[in-house]
């Protein structure tokens, strides 16, 4: 780590990321709370956790604060978000971060463990279309130990309710517009700041070469996720939390 990187306020970047994400999801912390409640309910307070598509390590942060005896492996491909994660958890032996592409068939070979008590992910897998997501769910069925848990919290759209969907979206975007007018950062604003930071400028440029602009996958319904997880080898799966726009699907091995 360079002297400049060593002096970077990683916690400030974490908090900035949290605020940007909360602009899109004001109930984000509630999702995390329920997620960790279910981790404790299913596998106990000392889990070996895989933070899938971990970004800055938001789930890892909340897991380790709530369960000090837990350990976490974060995996992501984004070099800028991983830089924040690694800087934030530097010196904490409970957290490990791995660079890997979830669409690479051999990404699991990069992990330090063969199995995990819990695999958690939030606001990430909507980047994948249904076919690669189905493949990923099959890989996760091999990573989660028997009796272990997988949870995915994300935008999950039920196409059978178009009028409800339209009303919810209009209401949510009106609130977002008000927050934006009051100074909230959106996705593009946040990345523009990262591109100007002396430490994050290079990894931000690299991440744009990898991803380009943000693109959404298919965002299928919570029912689709549950059915696909059961077909992949999980014994049970259903939504355990939902807001008007998002759902948290839990699958137990």
């Amino acid at each position: 780590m360079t002297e400049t990187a060593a002096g970077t306020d990683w916690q400030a970047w974490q908090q900035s990321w949290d605020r940007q994400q909360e602009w899109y999801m004001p109930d984000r912390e509630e999702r995390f709370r329920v997620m960790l409640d279910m981790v404790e309910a299913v596998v106990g307070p000392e889990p070996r956790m895989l933070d899938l598509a971990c970004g800055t390590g938001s789930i890892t942060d909340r897991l380790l604060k709530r369960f000090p005896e837990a350990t976490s492996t974060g995996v992501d491909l984004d070099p800028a978000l991983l830089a924040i994660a690694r800087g934030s958890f530097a010196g904490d032996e409970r957290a490990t971060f791995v660079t890997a592409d979830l669409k690479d068939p051999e990404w699991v070979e990069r992990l330090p463990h063969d199995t995990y008590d819990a695999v958690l992910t939030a606001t990430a897998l909507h980047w994948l279309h249904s076919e690669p997501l189905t493949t990923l769910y099959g890989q996760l069925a091999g990573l989660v130990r028997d009796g272990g848990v997988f949870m995915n919290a994300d935008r999950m759209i039920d196409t059978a309710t178009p009028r409800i969907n339209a009303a919810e979206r209009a209401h949510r975007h009106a609130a977002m517009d008000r927050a934006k007018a009051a100074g909230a950062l959106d996705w593009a604003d946040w990345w523009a700041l990262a591109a100007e930071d002396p430490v994050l400028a290079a990894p931000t440029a690299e991440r744009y070469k990898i991803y380009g602009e943000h693109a959404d996958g298919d965002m299928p319904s919570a029912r689709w996720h549950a059915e696909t997880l059961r077909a992949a080898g999980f014994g049970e799966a259903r939504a355990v939390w939902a807001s008007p726009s998002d759902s948290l699907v839990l699958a137990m091995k």
Side-chain angles (χ1 to χ4, degrees):
M1 182 179 289
T2 66
E3 289 184 4
T4 302
T8 298
D9 188 343
W10 296 115
Q11 289 305 313
W13 277 109
Q14 284 280 9
Q15 292 167 12
S16 175
W17 176 259
D18 283 342
R19 300 295 85 76
Q20 179 257 126
Q21 290 287 283
E22 287 166 359
W23 181 68
Y24 295 94
M25 298 161 291
D27 48 15
R28 183 169 177 255
E29 290 301 326
E30 176 69 5
R31 295 195 310 173
F32 288 143
R33 182 192 66 78
V34 174
M35 182 178 278
L36 297 184
D37 281 351
M38 295 310 298
V39 167
E40 186 173 25
V42 177
V43 299
E46 300 181 15
R48 175 195 290 171
M49 191 266 286
L50 177 64
D51 188 349
L52 191 72
C54 65
T56 65
S58 298
I59 296 175
T60 294
D61 176 58
R62 287 151 181 82
L63 178 92
L64 297 181
K65 286 176 178 174
R66 177 161 168 177
F67 305 126
E69 301 303 316
T71 59
S72 176
T73 302
V75 59
D76 207 302
L77 185 61
D78 191 307
L81 299 184
L82 281 173
I84 295 172
R86 289 179 171 126
S88 299
F89 293 92
D92 190 337
E93 296 182 353
R94 299 172 299 170
T96 303
F97 293 95
V98 175
T99 301
D101 185 349
L102 297 182
K103 292 186 286 187
D104 179 350
E106 299 181 355
W107 72 271
V108 296
E109 303 299 324
R110 295 177 175 267
L111 301 177
H113 305 291
D114 294 331
T115 61
Y116 288 85
D117 302 311
V119 178
L120 309 180
T121 187
T123 326
L125 299 189
H126 63 268
W127 284 67
L128 298 179
H129 290 281
S130 299
E131 184 175 348
L133 184 54
T134 299
T135 299
L136 178 64
Y137 279 173
Q139 294 171 312
L140 296 180
L143 278 175
V144 176
R145 68 161 172 84
D146 288 345
V149 66
F150 165 72
M151 278 181 272
N152 178 17
D154 211 340
R155 187 65 42 82
M156 299 180 186
I157 299 174
D158 188 340
T159 57
T161 58
R163 290 183 298 164
I164 296 173
N165 298 349
E168 180 282 322
R169 187 180 188 279
H171 184 267
R172 173 165 43 88
H173 278 260
M176 291 167 66
D177 289 344
R178 291 192 296 271
K180 188 75 159 57
L185 296 179
D186 64 12
W187 176 267
D189 293 335
W190 191 90
W191 281 108
L193 288 178
E196 296 172 357
D197 183 86
V199 174
L200 292 177
T204 296
E206 184 181 350
R207 68 90 55 198
Y208 273 103
K209 291 179 182 178
I210 296 171
Y211 294 110
E213 295 295 335
H214 188 284
D216 288 328
D218 298 330
M219 291 185 284
S221 68
R223 176 179 293 182
W224 180 93
H225 285 273
E227 291 174 349
T228 303
L229 286 161
R230 287 193 292 268
F234 287 89
E236 300 177 9
R238 69 170 176 87
V240 293
W241 175 89
S243 74
S245 61
D246 292 19
S247 295
L248 169 59
V249 170
L250 181 153
M252 188 173 178
K253 187 73 180 293

